[in-house]
Amino acid sequence: MSLNSIESARGLRVRSTQDLAAGIFMIALAALALLLSNDLPSGTLRQLGPGMLPRAFAWICAALGALVVINAFRYNGEKLSPLSFKGIFFVLGGVCVFAMTIRGFSIGPISVPALGLLVSGPLVMLIAGIAADDRRPKELLLFTIAMSAACIALFKYGLNLPIPLAPWLLGI
């Protein structure tokens, strides 16, 4: 019996549960985007409306999700690994810390001073870097310094965005 007849005898089976889950998630995300952009007018190709771009991206996301689902049945791949809450906690936590410290805020008795991009940028990268299992402290520190310098150069000086750099030190 040849290999092709053995494969056809097995029927349709999932070979990569991780790809299947990712494809289904992409299709669900596209369906949500289509649902939420339903009340926005699309306009025409000559005069685009505010709903044209979200719908176009949603259809592209759905098509790519369908391709990923099809490939989950065609090619062997990774099994679906259990959800890691460590990554979710530290990455989202880093983003929340950045949002709270870039300009500062106060809610009732809780007050956080504005630290600016000079402190908030490296802080988010260090907190999010804890999520990686293969992190090395020296590499994380070098990455943090390089990315912070690039972010300051790009956002503060290249694009002239009104992001505070270090209001507690330089007043800018």
Short mmCIF file of all heavy atoms in Angstrom, two decimals, residues 64-120:
data_model
loop_
_atom_site.label_atom_id
_atom_site.label_comp_id
_atom_site.label_asym_id
_atom_site.label_seq_id
_atom_site.Cartn_x
_atom_site.Cartn_y
_atom_site.Cartn_z
N LEU A 64 -6.75 35.44 5.48
CA LEU A 64 -5.51 34.86 6.00
C LEU A 64 -5.79 33.81 7.06
O LEU A 64 -5.11 32.79 7.15
CB LEU A 64 -4.59 35.96 6.54
CG LEU A 64 -4.00 36.89 5.49
CD1 LEU A 64 -3.23 38.02 6.15
CD2 LEU A 64 -3.11 36.13 4.53
N GLY A 65 -6.81 34.06 7.90
CA GLY A 65 -7.21 33.07 8.89
C GLY A 65 -7.69 31.79 8.25
O GLY A 65 -7.39 30.68 8.72
N ALA A 66 -8.44 31.91 7.16
CA ALA A 66 -8.91 30.73 6.44
C ALA A 66 -7.72 29.94 5.86
O ALA A 66 -7.72 28.70 5.89
CB ALA A 66 -9.88 31.13 5.34
N LEU A 67 -6.71 30.65 5.35
CA LEU A 67 -5.52 29.97 4.84
C LEU A 67 -4.77 29.24 5.95
O LEU A 67 -4.28 28.12 5.75
CB LEU A 67 -4.59 30.98 4.17
CG LEU A 67 -5.03 31.49 2.80
CD1 LEU A 67 -4.07 32.57 2.31
CD2 LEU A 67 -5.10 30.35 1.81
N VAL A 68 -4.72 29.85 7.12
CA VAL A 68 -4.04 29.20 8.25
C VAL A 68 -4.82 27.95 8.67
O VAL A 68 -4.23 26.92 8.99
CB VAL A 68 -3.87 30.19 9.43
CG1 VAL A 68 -3.37 29.50 10.67
CG2 VAL A 68 -2.90 31.30 9.04
N VAL A 69 -6.16 28.03 8.67
CA VAL A 69 -6.97 26.86 9.02
C VAL A 69 -6.75 25.74 8.00
O VAL A 69 -6.61 24.57 8.36
CB VAL A 69 -8.47 27.25 9.11
CG1 VAL A 69 -9.35 26.02 9.16
CG2 VAL A 69 -8.72 28.10 10.34
N ILE A 70 -6.73 26.08 6.73
CA ILE A 70 -6.51 25.06 5.69
C ILE A 70 -5.14 24.41 5.87
O ILE A 70 -4.99 23.19 5.78
CB ILE A 70 -6.66 25.68 4.29
CG1 ILE A 70 -8.12 26.03 4.03
CG2 ILE A 70 -6.13 24.75 3.21
CD1 ILE A 70 -8.35 26.90 2.81
N ASN A 71 -4.14 25.22 6.16
CA ASN A 71 -2.80 24.66 6.36
C ASN A 71 -2.70 23.81 7.62
O ASN A 71 -1.82 22.96 7.72
CB ASN A 71 -1.75 25.78 6.39
CG ASN A 71 -1.45 26.30 5.01
OD1 ASN A 71 -1.64 25.61 4.02
ND2 ASN A 71 -0.99 27.54 4.94
N ALA A 72 -3.59 24.03 8.58
CA ALA A 72 -3.59 23.20 9.78
C ALA A 72 -3.96 21.76 9.45
O ALA A 72 -3.57 20.84 10.16
CB ALA A 72 -4.57 23.77 10.80
N PHE A 73 -4.71 21.58 8.36
CA PHE A 73 -5.07 20.23 7.92
C PHE A 73 -4.06 19.63 6.95
O PHE A 73 -4.04 18.42 6.76
CB PHE A 73 -6.46 20.25 7.26
CG PHE A 73 -7.57 20.53 8.23
CD1 PHE A 73 -8.10 21.80 8.34
CD2 PHE A 73 -8.06 19.52 9.03
CE1 PHE A 73 -9.12 22.06 9.24
CE2 PHE A 73 -9.08 19.77 9.93
CZ PHE A 73 -9.62 21.04 10.03
N ARG A 74 -3.22 20.47 6.36
CA ARG A 74 -2.29 20.00 5.33
C ARG A 74 -0.90 19.69 5.86
O ARG A 74 -0.25 18.77 5.37
CB ARG A 74 -2.17 21.04 4.22
CG ARG A 74 -3.47 21.24 3.46
CD ARG A 74 -3.32 22.25 2.37
NE ARG A 74 -2.38 21.73 1.36
CZ ARG A 74 -1.70 22.50 0.54
NH1 ARG A 74 -1.82 23.80 0.59
NH2 ARG A 74 -0.89 21.97 -0.35
N TYR A 75 -0.40 20.48 6.80
CA TYR A 75 0.99 20.35 7.24
C TYR A 75 1.07 20.02 8.72
O TYR A 75 0.28 20.52 9.52
CB TYR A 75 1.76 21.65 6.98
CG TYR A 75 1.75 22.06 5.53
CD1 TYR A 75 1.02 23.16 5.10
CD2 TYR A 75 2.46 21.34 4.59
CE1 TYR A 75 1.01 23.54 3.77
CE2 TYR A 75 2.44 21.71 3.25
CZ TYR A 75 1.72 22.80 2.86
OH TYR A 75 1.71 23.17 1.54
N ASN A 76 2.04 19.20 9.07
CA ASN A 76 2.28 18.91 10.48
C ASN A 76 2.83 20.15 11.17
O ASN A 76 3.63 20.89 10.59
CB ASN A 76 3.27 17.76 10.63
CG ASN A 76 2.69 16.45 10.15
OD1 ASN A 76 1.49 16.22 10.25
ND2 ASN A 76 3.53 15.58 9.62
N GLY A 77 2.41 20.37 12.37
CA GLY A 77 2.86 21.55 13.10
C GLY A 77 2.81 21.34 14.59
O GLY A 77 2.69 20.22 15.09
N GLU A 78 2.87 22.43 15.28
CA GLU A 78 2.90 22.41 16.74
C GLU A 78 1.54 22.05 17.32
O GLU A 78 0.51 22.37 16.76
CB GLU A 78 3.31 23.79 17.27
CG GLU A 78 4.69 24.24 16.85
CD GLU A 78 5.78 23.50 17.57
OE1 GLU A 78 5.60 23.19 18.76
OE2 GLU A 78 6.80 23.21 16.94
N LYS A 79 1.58 21.40 18.48
CA LYS A 79 0.36 21.18 19.23
C LYS A 79 0.03 22.46 19.99
O LYS A 79 0.91 23.28 20.26
CB LYS A 79 0.54 20.03 20.21
CG LYS A 79 0.67 18.68 19.55
CD LYS A 79 0.78 17.59 20.57
CE LYS A 79 0.88 16.24 19.89
NZ LYS A 79 0.99 15.16 20.86
N LEU A 80 -1.21 22.60 20.31
CA LEU A 80 -1.65 23.78 21.06
C LEU A 80 -1.10 23.71 22.47
O LEU A 80 -1.38 22.77 23.21
CB LEU A 80 -3.18 23.86 21.07
CG LEU A 80 -3.78 25.13 21.62
CD1 LEU A 80 -3.33 26.33 20.80
CD2 LEU A 80 -5.28 25.05 21.63
N SER A 81 -0.28 24.67 22.82
CA SER A 81 0.32 24.69 24.15
C SER A 81 -0.63 25.36 25.13
O SER A 81 -1.47 26.17 24.73
CB SER A 81 1.66 25.42 24.12
OG SER A 81 1.48 26.73 23.67
N PRO A 82 -0.51 25.04 26.39
CA PRO A 82 -1.39 25.69 27.37
C PRO A 82 -1.12 27.19 27.44
O PRO A 82 -0.01 27.65 27.18
CB PRO A 82 -1.06 25.00 28.69
CG PRO A 82 0.22 24.29 28.46
CD PRO A 82 0.38 24.08 27.00
N LEU A 83 -2.14 27.94 27.80
CA LEU A 83 -2.05 29.39 27.86
C LEU A 83 -1.10 29.82 28.97
O LEU A 83 -1.21 29.36 30.10
CB LEU A 83 -3.44 29.98 28.09
CG LEU A 83 -3.58 31.48 28.01
CD1 LEU A 83 -3.19 31.97 26.62
CD2 LEU A 83 -5.00 31.89 28.31
N SER A 84 -0.16 30.68 28.64
CA SER A 84 0.80 31.19 29.61
C SER A 84 0.33 32.55 30.12
O SER A 84 0.32 33.53 29.37
CB SER A 84 2.18 31.31 28.98
OG SER A 84 3.04 32.00 29.84
N PHE A 85 -0.05 32.60 31.36
CA PHE A 85 -0.52 33.85 31.93
C PHE A 85 0.64 34.77 32.31
O PHE A 85 0.44 35.96 32.51
CB PHE A 85 -1.42 33.59 33.15
CG PHE A 85 -2.74 33.01 32.77
CD1 PHE A 85 -3.02 31.68 32.97
CD2 PHE A 85 -3.71 33.81 32.18
CE1 PHE A 85 -4.23 31.15 32.61
CE2 PHE A 85 -4.92 33.29 31.81
CZ PHE A 85 -5.19 31.96 32.03
N LYS A 86 1.83 34.22 32.40
CA LYS A 86 3.01 35.03 32.73
C LYS A 86 3.25 36.09 31.67
O LYS A 86 3.45 37.27 31.98
CB LYS A 86 4.22 34.12 32.87
CG LYS A 86 5.51 34.83 33.14
CD LYS A 86 6.64 33.80 33.21
CE LYS A 86 7.96 34.46 33.05
NZ LYS A 86 9.05 33.51 32.97
N GLY A 87 3.20 35.69 30.40
CA GLY A 87 3.42 36.64 29.31
C GLY A 87 2.33 37.69 29.25
O GLY A 87 2.61 38.88 29.09
N ILE A 88 1.08 37.26 29.38
CA ILE A 88 -0.03 38.20 29.35
C ILE A 88 0.08 39.20 30.49
O ILE A 88 -0.08 40.41 30.30
CB ILE A 88 -1.37 37.44 29.42
CG1 ILE A 88 -1.55 36.58 28.18
CG2 ILE A 88 -2.54 38.39 29.59
CD1 ILE A 88 -2.71 35.62 28.27
N PHE A 89 0.38 38.71 31.67
CA PHE A 89 0.47 39.59 32.85
C PHE A 89 1.58 40.62 32.71
O PHE A 89 1.35 41.82 32.93
CB PHE A 89 0.70 38.73 34.10
CG PHE A 89 0.88 39.52 35.35
CD1 PHE A 89 -0.20 40.11 35.98
CD2 PHE A 89 2.14 39.70 35.90
CE1 PHE A 89 -0.03 40.86 37.13
CE2 PHE A 89 2.33 40.44 37.04
CZ PHE A 89 1.23 41.02 37.67
N PHE A 90 2.78 40.20 32.33
CA PHE A 90 3.91 41.14 32.29
C PHE A 90 3.84 42.09 31.09
O PHE A 90 4.19 43.26 31.22
CB PHE A 90 5.24 40.39 32.32
CG PHE A 90 5.61 39.90 33.68
CD1 PHE A 90 5.62 38.56 33.96
CD2 PHE A 90 5.91 40.79 34.69
CE1 PHE A 90 5.95 38.10 35.22
CE2 PHE A 90 6.23 40.35 35.96
CZ PHE A 90 6.25 38.99 36.24
N VAL A 91 3.41 41.62 29.93
CA VAL A 91 3.33 42.51 28.77
C VAL A 91 2.23 43.55 28.96
O VAL A 91 2.45 44.75 28.78
CB VAL A 91 3.14 41.70 27.47
CG1 VAL A 91 2.85 42.61 26.31
CG2 VAL A 91 4.39 40.87 27.19
N LEU A 92 1.03 43.11 29.34
CA LEU A 92 -0.04 44.08 29.59
C LEU A 92 0.25 44.95 30.81
O LEU A 92 -0.10 46.13 30.83
CB LEU A 92 -1.38 43.35 29.77
CG LEU A 92 -1.96 42.73 28.51
CD1 LEU A 92 -3.27 42.03 28.81
CD2 LEU A 92 -2.15 43.77 27.43
N GLY A 93 0.90 44.37 31.80
CA GLY A 93 1.30 45.16 32.96
C GLY A 93 2.30 46.24 32.59
O GLY A 93 2.23 47.38 33.08
N GLY A 94 3.24 45.92 31.71
CA GLY A 94 4.21 46.92 31.26
C GLY A 94 3.54 48.05 30.49
O GLY A 94 3.88 49.22 30.67
N VAL A 95 2.57 47.70 29.66
CA VAL A 95 1.83 48.73 28.91
C VAL A 95 1.04 49.61 29.87
O VAL A 95 1.00 50.84 29.71
CB VAL A 95 0.91 48.07 27.86
CG1 VAL A 95 -0.01 49.09 27.23
CG2 VAL A 95 1.75 47.38 26.80
N CYS A 96 0.43 49.02 30.88
CA CYS A 96 -0.32 49.81 31.88
C CYS A 96 0.61 50.73 32.67
O CYS A 96 0.26 51.89 32.93
CB CYS A 96 -1.09 48.90 32.82
SG CYS A 96 -2.46 48.04 32.03
N VAL A 97 1.76 50.23 33.06
CA VAL A 97 2.73 51.07 33.78
C VAL A 97 3.19 52.23 32.90
O VAL A 97 3.32 53.36 33.36
CB VAL A 97 3.92 50.21 34.28
CG1 VAL A 97 5.08 51.08 34.73
CG2 VAL A 97 3.47 49.30 35.40
N PHE A 98 3.42 51.95 31.61
CA PHE A 98 3.81 53.01 30.69
C PHE A 98 2.73 54.07 30.60
O PHE A 98 3.01 55.27 30.66
CB PHE A 98 4.08 52.42 29.30
CG PHE A 98 4.45 53.45 28.27
CD1 PHE A 98 5.74 53.93 28.20
CD2 PHE A 98 3.51 53.93 27.38
CE1 PHE A 98 6.09 54.88 27.27
CE2 PHE A 98 3.85 54.88 26.43
CZ PHE A 98 5.14 55.36 26.38
N ALA A 99 1.48 53.63 30.46
CA ALA A 99 0.37 54.58 30.33
C ALA A 99 0.21 55.43 31.59
O ALA A 99 -0.13 56.62 31.51
CB ALA A 99 -0.93 53.83 30.04
N MET A 100 0.48 54.85 32.75
CA MET A 100 0.32 55.60 34.00
C MET A 100 1.48 56.54 34.27
O MET A 100 1.30 57.55 34.93
CB MET A 100 0.17 54.63 35.17
CG MET A 100 -1.15 53.90 35.17
SD MET A 100 -1.42 52.91 36.64
CE MET A 100 -0.12 51.71 36.55
N THR A 101 2.67 56.21 33.77
CA THR A 101 3.84 57.01 34.14
C THR A 101 4.30 57.99 33.07
O THR A 101 5.09 58.88 33.37
CB THR A 101 5.02 56.10 34.50
OG1 THR A 101 5.32 55.26 33.38
CG2 THR A 101 4.71 55.26 35.72
N ILE A 102 3.86 57.87 31.83
CA ILE A 102 4.37 58.75 30.78
C ILE A 102 3.97 60.20 31.03
O ILE A 102 4.76 61.11 30.89
CB ILE A 102 3.93 58.27 29.37
CG1 ILE A 102 4.59 59.09 28.28
CG2 ILE A 102 2.43 58.31 29.21
CD1 ILE A 102 6.00 58.76 28.03
N ARG A 103 2.73 60.43 31.43
CA ARG A 103 2.25 61.78 31.71
C ARG A 103 1.81 61.94 33.16
O ARG A 103 1.47 63.03 33.58
CB ARG A 103 1.10 62.15 30.80
CG ARG A 103 1.50 62.29 29.36
CD ARG A 103 0.40 62.93 28.56
NE ARG A 103 0.68 62.93 27.16
CZ ARG A 103 1.31 63.90 26.53
NH1 ARG A 103 1.74 64.94 27.19
NH2 ARG A 103 1.52 63.82 25.23
N GLY A 104 1.73 60.87 33.89
CA GLY A 104 1.28 60.92 35.27
C GLY A 104 -0.23 60.97 35.35
O GLY A 104 -0.91 61.27 34.37
N PHE A 105 -0.76 60.64 36.51
CA PHE A 105 -2.20 60.70 36.70
C PHE A 105 -2.49 60.71 38.19
O PHE A 105 -1.63 60.42 39.03
CB PHE A 105 -2.91 59.52 36.04
CG PHE A 105 -2.86 58.25 36.82
CD1 PHE A 105 -3.94 57.85 37.59
CD2 PHE A 105 -1.74 57.45 36.82
CE1 PHE A 105 -3.90 56.69 38.33
CE2 PHE A 105 -1.68 56.30 37.55
CZ PHE A 105 -2.77 55.91 38.31
N SER A 106 -3.72 61.06 38.53
CA SER A 106 -4.17 60.98 39.91
C SER A 106 -5.64 60.57 39.92
O SER A 106 -6.46 61.11 39.19
CB SER A 106 -3.99 62.31 40.63
OG SER A 106 -4.77 63.31 40.01
N ILE A 107 -5.92 59.59 40.75
CA ILE A 107 -7.29 59.13 40.97
C ILE A 107 -7.50 59.14 42.48
O ILE A 107 -6.98 58.28 43.19
CB ILE A 107 -7.52 57.71 40.40
CG1 ILE A 107 -7.32 57.70 38.90
CG2 ILE A 107 -8.91 57.22 40.77
CD1 ILE A 107 -7.44 56.34 38.28
N GLY A 108 -8.25 60.10 42.93
CA GLY A 108 -8.49 60.22 44.37
C GLY A 108 -7.19 60.42 45.13
O GLY A 108 -6.39 61.31 44.80
N PRO A 109 -6.91 59.56 46.11
CA PRO A 109 -5.68 59.73 46.89
C PRO A 109 -4.44 59.18 46.19
O PRO A 109 -3.32 59.44 46.61
CB PRO A 109 -5.96 58.94 48.17
CG PRO A 109 -6.93 57.89 47.75
CD PRO A 109 -7.78 58.53 46.68
N ILE A 110 -4.61 58.43 45.10
CA ILE A 110 -3.48 57.83 44.40
C ILE A 110 -2.98 58.81 43.34
O ILE A 110 -3.74 59.27 42.49
CB ILE A 110 -3.88 56.51 43.72
CG1 ILE A 110 -4.39 55.52 44.76
CG2 ILE A 110 -2.71 55.92 42.94
CD1 ILE A 110 -5.01 54.28 44.16
N SER A 111 -1.69 59.13 43.39
CA SER A 111 -1.11 60.06 42.45
C SER A 111 0.24 59.52 41.97
O SER A 111 1.08 59.13 42.77
CB SER A 111 -0.92 61.42 43.11
OG SER A 111 -0.34 62.32 42.21
N VAL A 112 0.42 59.50 40.66
CA VAL A 112 1.68 59.07 40.06
C VAL A 112 2.24 60.25 39.29
O VAL A 112 1.56 60.82 38.44
CB VAL A 112 1.45 57.87 39.11
CG1 VAL A 112 2.74 57.49 38.41
CG2 VAL A 112 0.89 56.68 39.88
N PRO A 113 3.47 60.65 39.57
CA PRO A 113 4.04 61.80 38.86
C PRO A 113 4.35 61.47 37.40
O PRO A 113 4.52 60.32 37.03
CB PRO A 113 5.32 62.10 39.64
CG PRO A 113 5.71 60.78 40.23
CD PRO A 113 4.41 60.07 40.52
N ALA A 114 4.44 62.50 36.59
CA ALA A 114 4.81 62.33 35.18
C ALA A 114 6.31 62.06 35.11
O ALA A 114 7.12 62.89 35.49
CB ALA A 114 4.47 63.59 34.40
N LEU A 115 6.67 60.88 34.63
CA LEU A 115 8.08 60.50 34.54
C LEU A 115 8.67 60.73 33.17
O LEU A 115 9.88 60.82 33.02
CB LEU A 115 8.25 59.03 34.94
CG LEU A 115 7.82 58.67 36.36
CD1 LEU A 115 7.98 57.18 36.59
CD2 LEU A 115 8.63 59.46 37.37
N GLY A 116 7.84 60.81 32.16
CA GLY A 116 8.33 61.08 30.82
C GLY A 116 8.87 59.84 30.13
O GLY A 116 8.99 58.76 30.71
N LEU A 117 9.23 60.02 28.87
CA LEU A 117 9.69 58.92 28.03
C LEU A 117 11.05 58.39 28.47
O LEU A 117 11.37 57.23 28.25
CB LEU A 117 9.75 59.38 26.57
CG LEU A 117 9.94 58.33 25.50
CD1 LEU A 117 8.84 57.28 25.57
CD2 LEU A 117 9.97 58.96 24.13
N LEU A 118 11.85 59.22 29.12
CA LEU A 118 13.18 58.82 29.56
C LEU A 118 13.11 57.70 30.61
O LEU A 118 14.00 56.86 30.68
CB LEU A 118 13.94 60.02 30.12
CG LEU A 118 15.43 59.87 30.35
CD1 LEU A 118 16.13 59.60 29.03
CD2 LEU A 118 16.00 61.11 30.99
N VAL A 119 12.07 57.68 31.41
CA VAL A 119 11.90 56.64 32.44
C VAL A 119 10.85 55.62 32.03
O VAL A 119 11.04 54.42 32.20
CB VAL A 119 11.53 57.27 33.80
CG1 VAL A 119 11.25 56.21 34.84
CG2 VAL A 119 12.64 58.18 34.28
N SER A 120 9.74 56.08 31.46
CA SER A 120 8.63 55.18 31.12
C SER A 120 9.00 54.20 30.02
O SER A 120 8.56 53.05 30.04
CB SER A 120 7.42 55.99 30.70
OG SER A 120 6.97 56.78 31.76
#
